[in-house]
Amino acid sequence: MAFSFLPELVISIVVVHVVIVGFYYIKSSKNPLLPVSWPVVGILPSLVVNLHRLHHYISFDLLTPSGHSLKVAIASIRMFITCDPTNIQYIFSSNHTNYPKGEDYAEIFDMTRGSLFSADGESSRRERANFQSVLSNPLLVGLMTKCCHDKVEKSLLPFMAHMVRTNTHVDMNDMLMRLVFDLYATTIFSMDPTCLSLDMPSVHVANAMDTVMEVGFVRHIVPAFFWKVMRRLNIGPERKVAAAQAVLRCFIMDMITERRKKGHIIGQEVHIDVLSNYVNDQNYNDDLLQATLITYMIAGRDTIGTTLPWVVYNLTKNPHIVSSIRTELAPIMSRKAAIAGAVTMMTFEPEEVRPLVYLQATLLETLRLYPPIPIERRSVVSTDVMPSGHPVCAQDIILVSIYSVGRMESVWGSDCLEYRPERWLSDDGRQLRYVPSNKFPAFNSGARLCLGKDIAIMQMKIIIAAIVCNFDVKMVDGQAIDTKLSCLLQMKNGLKVNLSKVQM
């Protein structure tokens, strides 16, 4: 019994060796290592070598040759990887109780333990009901859309205009992440950190959220024993994530403590933010309350903030799509100009952008090719057989590659790799086509379908409409647009652009 940990220790030592050799291979060769399954380590060698192109590797080196589903081993971890819509329907909907997120997932994202982000079973149903109640409150929805409009009008557009006047290039990734962090801090806590301002203050809390997702990715691909030893010794990425978690906990607890001191009503102002729905709820101790508020931040800041830079990136590469969006916006702009006269900057209200189908198709096309959460993880409770015919065993890990689904020719046609918003429109271009969530799982599917989907789309429409209407955006030459090693599909080196004012 005293030596029961030895097999895991041996595997962990082998993993370390493979990782070191793999990184030397990456530096010395530009050729990808074919996905061969080796004794003990499985496909780990090719996985490590291809980490810099992970999602392409999964899509085109693993899933496409295997018919969109396959079983693999990564060291001691047994995995079933799929992007088959029939399997997705089965895993997320038809038999979802057999495929929870699982205890390992809750340990990987230990900061969100107990919240909707990582809960299963009855806890998940209870948290989901609470989320639905909060997000269906018309006062809160009104606050979220008003905050979005105000941040665009008072922060985003003035910031971009200043960059034009000073002829300074902009990192759109950084700018939009700052905007969305401000937006969600305001709607969750009634506190605007003004990260998007000309003095560009430190964004240590936002950076801490990024670190949690980056180290979460590491925890996904190495044996649990290995990263837990690093956590106990406080070394490597675990040291980094421990510091990030401390920053997040301090920030969240400061918000909670401040609210408890001041109460629900301050002067004549009644708080209708997210925190006000939970702060006095006796069912939420401090740990669960922190986990819940972090989940709201992830649901908003991480997903929208990750998607918006990809929208801008694709618009810079497709100026004809920008022209089509401006054509759709033109009647609204003419009507507003007739009422208000000449304006230097144009902003849009929710009711104005709601019917804009081409703009929404552009967002959906971005989410198809660049889903903010590119891989969903599930665990297997009991032995089963997938619709594709693949058997899975208890304690296996299932990875659903959402990134790959959007690149399936059988679902999206021979032009599946092209960025074409028109695929989402009816023949007359007046309506959006319906695509079931198992073929477009960017907002998840089944029992975990995103509750904030409509709010997120509305906020992105308001932001992108304002950018497209007021500015021409051109990418700075010579950039390599790549993705981070993270649970999110974030840009690794930002998106540097030059701006010019559109003449109205």
Side-chain angles (χ1 to χ4, degrees):
M1 291 293 291
F3 299 98
S4 60
F5 65 88
L6 281 177
E8 289 183 314
L9 179 60
V10 170
I11 289 173
S12 295
I13 293 171
V14 171
V15 167
V16 172
H17 179 73
V18 169
V19 169
I20 293 171
V21 172
F23 278 114
Y24 274 109
Y25 183 93
I26 290 172
K27 289 183 178 181
S28 63
S29 174
K30 295 183 178 179
N31 299 317
L33 187 64
L34 295 177
V36 176
S37 184
W38 298 86
V40 181
V41 295
I43 66 164
L44 184 61
S46 65
L47 174 65
V48 170
V49 168
N50 288 284
L51 276 178
H52 64 290
R53 56 188 288 274
L54 175 68
H55 301 296
H56 188 94
Y57 167 75
I58 291 174
S59 298
F60 299 107
D61 294 355
L62 294 181
L63 290 174
T64 298
S66 64
H68 307 307
S69 299
L70 81 162
K71 297 190 71 174
V72 300
I74 301 177
S76 60
I77 306 170
R78 300 190 310 267
M79 289 187 175
F80 174 68
I81 308 176
T82 187
C83 65
D84 185 335
T86 58
N87 287 339
I88 294 173
Q89 173 75 17
Y90 188 72
I91 295 164
F92 287 172
S93 299
S94 306
N95 197 22
H96 68 91
T97 55
N98 195 50
Y99 303 101
K101 292 196 170 183
E103 178 60 25
D104 288 346
Y105 188 93
E107 288 191 342
I108 288 170
F109 295 106
D110 45 4
M111 278 208 75
T112 66
R113 181 180 288 276
S115 74
L116 184 60
F117 188 83
S118 56
D120 287 312
E122 183 56 36
S123 295
S124 176
R125 286 187 287 273
R126 182 176 60 251
E127 290 302 308
R128 185 173 177 84
N130 289 343
F131 261 67
Q132 191 157 23
S133 175
V134 171
L135 294 178
S136 62
N137 182 338
L139 292 177
L140 181 61
V141 174
L143 172 67
M144 296 177 83
T145 52
K146 181 180 185 301
C147 282
C148 185
H149 178 275
D150 290 350
K151 291 302 297 182
V152 167
E153 181 180 39
K154 298 173 183 177
S155 295
L156 177 65
L157 296 182
F159 182 89
M160 295 179 74
H162 176 80
M163 296 298 108
V164 172
R165 288 193 301 271
T166 57
N167 195 28
T168 306
H169 71 245
V170 179
D171 182 348
M172 291 295 287
N173 184 66
D174 181 49
M175 183 190 74
L176 290 169
M177 291 294 278
R178 286 171 179 269
L179 170 72
V180 178
F181 184 82
D182 285 349
L183 172 60
Y184 275 86
T186 303
T187 54
I188 295 172
F189 306 111
S190 289
M191 188 279 296
D192 184 355
T194 61
C195 291
L196 182 58
S197 56
L198 295 181
D199 57 348
M200 298 295 275
S202 169
V203 287
H204 61 287
V205 177
N207 289 339
M209 293 181 68
D210 290 343
T211 297
V212 168
M213 288 300 177
E214 290 161 17
V215 177
F217 173 82
V218 175
R219 289 179 174 183
H220 274 297
I221 64 172
V222 302
F225 175 82
F226 185 51
W227 67 259
K228 287 179 181 178
V229 168
M230 287 196 294
R231 181 174 64 182
R232 180 176 291 274
L233 298 175
N234 195 29
I235 59 174
E238 290 300 317
R239 181 183 181 90
K240 185 177 179 182
V241 79
Q245 289 178 345
V247 169
L248 281 173
R249 288 195 178 96
C250 182
F251 172 74
I252 298 288
M253 276 311 300
D254 283 349
M255 297 297 101
I256 295 170
T257 303
E258 188 71 13
R259 180 61 56 85
R260 285 171 175 163
K261 285 180 181 177
K262 293 183 177 179
H264 183 56
I265 301 176
I266 303 175
Q268 299 300 313
E269 180 184 1
V270 179
H271 284 289
I272 54 173
D273 55 20
V274 170
L275 178 57
S276 65
N277 289 272
Y278 293 93
V279 69
N280 295 317
D281 190 330
Q282 298 302 311
N283 294 313
Y284 286 81
N285 60 29
D286 284 353
D287 288 341
L288 182 54
L289 181 54
Q290 287 182 67
T292 300
L293 295 171
I294 290 170
T295 296
Y296 274 101
M297 292 293 289
I298 292 171
R301 178 262 178 187
D302 281 0
T303 53
I304 297 176
T306 299
T307 301
L308 286 172
W310 289 114
V311 178
V312 174
Y313 166 71
N314 282 285
L315 291 180
T316 63
K317 292 168 62 92
N318 296 277
H320 67 284
I321 296 176
V322 176
S323 297
S324 296
I325 295 174
R326 286 175 177 164
T327 299
E328 190 174 46
L329 288 168
I332 303 171
M333 295 167 61
S334 298
R335 189 165 57 249
K336 292 169 79 75
I339 295 171
V343 293
T344 56
M345 292 286 182
M346 191 77 72
T347 58
F348 300 90
E349 301 292 341
E351 58 272 17
E352 292 173 326
V353 299
R354 186 172 286 111
L356 303 183
V357 293
Y358 192 86
L359 175 57
Q360 185 161 335
T362 302
L363 299 179
L364 297 176
E365 183 71 344
T366 304
L367 288 162
R368 177 181 75 88
L369 290 169
Y370 304 92
I373 300 177
I375 296 175
E376 280 284 350
R377 172 179 169 144
R378 295 291 185 271
S379 61
V380 180
V381 174
S382 58
T383 299
D384 197 5
V385 178
M386 289 289 156
S388 60
H390 294 81
V392 291
C393 301
Q395 298 184 0
D396 282 2
I397 293 171
I398 290 179
L399 298 181
V400 175
S401 176
I402 297 174
Y403 181 94
S404 302
V405 178
R407 289 162 168 74
M408 286 182 64
E409 186 172 337
S410 60
V411 174
W412 298 101
S414 58
D415 64 348
C416 60
L417 299 182
E418 295 180 24
Y419 187 83
R420 195 171 67 82
E422 290 78 10
R423 76 175 74 248
W424 292 91
L425 301 176
S426 59
D427 291 339
D428 63 6
R430 295 181 178 179
Q431 293 181 323
L432 290 167
R433 295 183 187 273
Y434 169 73
V435 178
S437 60
N438 64 318
K439 296 181 178 180
F440 176 61
F443 290 102
N444 217 306
S445 183
R448 293 185 183 270
L449 188 67
C450 176
L451 294 171
K453 172 184 174 182
D454 293 339
I455 295 172
I457 288 175
M458 181 63 65
Q459 290 175 329
M460 289 193 288
K461 288 173 88 169
I462 290 171
I463 293 167
I464 294 299
I467 292 174
V468 169
C469 171
N470 292 287
F471 297 96
D472 285 318
V473 183
K474 295 190 184 325
M475 278 182 59
V476 173
D477 292 336
Q479 292 183 81
I481 304 301
D482 206 350
T483 56
K484 286 183 179 181
L485 293 179
S486 171
C487 294
L488 300 170
L489 198 71
Q490 291 181 327
M491 291 183 175
K492 182 178 181 180
N493 301 308
L495 177 63
K496 296 176 180 62
V497 303
N498 291 315
L499 302 173
S500 58
K501 186 75 176 67
V502 172
Q503 300 301 317
M504 295 186 183

